[in-house]
Amino acid sequence: MTRVFSGVKPTGHLTLGNYLGAMRRWAEVDQHAADALFCVVDLHALTVDHDPARVRRLSRQGATLLLASGLDPERCTVFVQSHVDEHARLSYLLECVATDGEMRRMIQYKEKAAREQRRGGSVRLSLLTYPVLMAADILAYGADEVPVGDDQRQHVELARDLAVRFNQRYGHTFVVPRATKPGVAARVMNLQDPASKMGKSDDVGPGIVYLLDEPDVVRRKVMRAVTDSGREVVYDREARPGLANLLEILAACTGGDPELLSGAYTSYGELKRDTAEAVVEMLRPVQERHKELCADPAYVEGVLREGAERARGMARPTVDAAYRAIGLLPAVAEREAAGAGV
């Protein structure tokens, strides 16, 4: 089967954008059609100033929401990145293959470094090198496909480049992955700033719908969404981005087509009300399942423990092969096991 890897970073509460752009597809499509791994990539949360307790709390919440969104541990592997040592082991090897220029050309590094400097903070080295860790996340498992939005495609391209370079220099070791793009509403925009993505790392604001927002909070945020000048409800992503965002969200929630839906409305208010109710109804089962899982923390811990064991078993042979290929001496225990034919 095709192998798929993807993950969520515990830098903020998961949003409607995370769900419509990725998590729902993982549950409805990827875990059934592929050998799929889904990971809370907590090591990536350490690249900027952070509260350790909050990272732990958001990591647990993120894992619980992955399960609440429909991921079935009998069908896919759900785990936490830091629970599998192979991620960090492989990351250093790939740093020895990557170049400084490649890292500094990363668009997200430029944006995040500039944001950190504006805040008066220092830029951590890990912020520069974390795309290599992301490549390690993918290459350790021999993933064929990585479902990502447009803002992450550059990172998958880096993983491809590093895999090809390593294979050429040291012998074929890694599968060269490809990025795949989800369908409609893959990029949900901020309700108050439709030019910006609805990101979980943003400051709390009325433009972000979180997966655990109460129904009345969801309704209030959608009803206050920024629209555009003019009165006619039309779907035009370039000229009418606010309306287009609402229509795409409604289409994603109901299985409709945003352009066709636009013809069914004569007022912004009517569109907003229907969009708000569609979001509330879509999130209802996720929130109910999340509540059930929170009442049974031992189950979630068991899923993560078994998921890490399964992931470790998948990643270790590839990472060990990479260590041998690049020229590192095998550990004594490994050599003895090989000599004994184990």
Side-chain angles (χ1 to χ4, degrees):
M1 293 181 69
T2 297
R3 181 166 288 176
V4 171
F5 176 93
S6 200
V8 294
K9 186 162 59 173
T11 52
H13 298 286
L14 293 172
T15 72
L16 178 66
N18 297 124
Y19 184 73
L20 291 179
M23 294 165 63
R24 186 172 67 171
R25 175 186 168 87
W26 298 346
E28 294 180 354
V29 178
D30 292 333
Q31 70 170 337
H32 301 284
D35 180 10
L37 300 99
F38 302 106
C39 179
V40 177
V41 286
D42 53 344
L43 294 175
H44 291 289
L46 310 184
T47 59
V48 295
D49 190 34
H50 63 276
D51 174 8
R54 186 170 187 265
V55 171
R56 284 191 291 270
R57 185 171 64 252
L58 290 175
S59 296
R60 178 178 291 276
Q61 183 186 89
T64 306
L65 279 169
L66 287 177
L67 297 174
S69 70
L71 292 184
D72 181 353
E74 297 298 320
R75 291 183 175 274
C76 64
T77 303
V78 181
F79 66 106
V80 175
Q81 179 190 34
S82 63
H83 295 177
V84 180
D85 293 344
E86 278 63 31
H87 292 257
R89 290 180 61 207
L90 182 55
S91 182
Y92 180 72
L93 292 197
L94 295 180
E95 284 186 14
C96 297
V97 177
T99 67
D100 177 76
E102 284 176 314
M103 296 300 97
R104 296 188 186 280
R105 285 195 297 271
M106 290 287 132
I107 295 171
Q108 289 211 357
Y109 167 72
K110 294 178 181 178
E111 293 175 348
K112 292 180 179 179
R115 189 183 311 140
E116 201 67 24
Q117 289 169 341
R118 285 196 299 270
R119 292 173 177 171
S122 57
V123 179
R124 300 186 181 191
L125 178 61
S126 57
L127 186 62
L128 178 66
T129 60
Y130 90 92
V132 176
L133 175 59
M134 185 179 292
D137 297 338
I138 299 166
L139 299 182
Y141 297 101
D144 302 284
E145 296 182 359
V146 188
V148 293
D150 290 338
D151 59 331
Q152 294 292 335
R153 294 184 73 86
Q154 188 183 35
H155 290 154
V156 180
E157 288 303 315
L158 175 69
R160 290 174 55 85
D161 291 343
L162 295 181
V164 169
R165 191 177 305 154
F166 191 101
N167 290 345
Q168 290 175 341
R169 290 180 180 176
Y170 307 114
H172 185 79
T173 306
F174 298 116
V175 172
V176 181
R178 61 184 178 274
T180 58
K181 184 177 180 179
V184 67
R187 191 172 172 85
V188 179
M189 313 307 284
N190 189 297
L191 295 175
Q192 292 296 313
D193 179 11
S196 302
K197 188 178 70 168
M198 186 183 288
K200 63 180 180 298
S201 301
D202 297 338
D203 294 333
V204 174
I208 307 166
V209 175
Y210 296 102
L211 296 187
L212 297 179
D213 276 347
E214 294 289 334
D216 285 346
V217 174
V218 173
R219 293 186 183 100
R220 183 165 61 251
K221 289 179 176 179
V222 175
M223 292 304 295
R224 294 178 178 175
V226 168
T227 49
D228 311 283
S229 59
R231 296 181 178 180
E232 187 181 2
V233 178
V234 295
Y235 178 67
D236 187 331
R237 167 53 71 183
E238 296 300 321
R240 312 285 286 279
L243 278 176
N245 192 35
L246 289 171
L247 287 164
E248 288 183 357
I249 291 171
L250 179 59
C253 292
T254 62
D257 177 270
E259 190 161 0
L260 293 177
L261 284 170
S262 67
Y265 293 95
T266 58
S267 71
Y268 295 170
E270 185 183 7
L271 170 62
K272 288 181 176 181
R273 282 191 294 273
D274 282 1
T275 302
E277 291 307 318
V279 172
V280 167
E281 289 306 310
M282 184 188 64
L283 294 183
R284 191 184 307 279
V286 176
Q287 293 179 352
E288 290 175 351
R289 180 58 177 153
H290 177 265
K291 185 176 180 180
E292 293 171 359
L293 291 169
C294 286
D296 188 6
Y299 171 76
V300 177
E301 291 171 2
V303 168
L304 296 179
R305 182 172 58 252
E306 293 173 9
E309 291 174 359
R310 195 184 311 163
R312 200 175 298 118
M314 294 183 199
R316 183 165 292 168
T318 298
V319 177
D320 285 350
Y323 268 59
R324 292 192 297 271
I326 206 170
L328 298 178
L329 188 67
V332 173
E334 184 182 339
R335 295 203 304 272
E336 289 177 347
V342 176

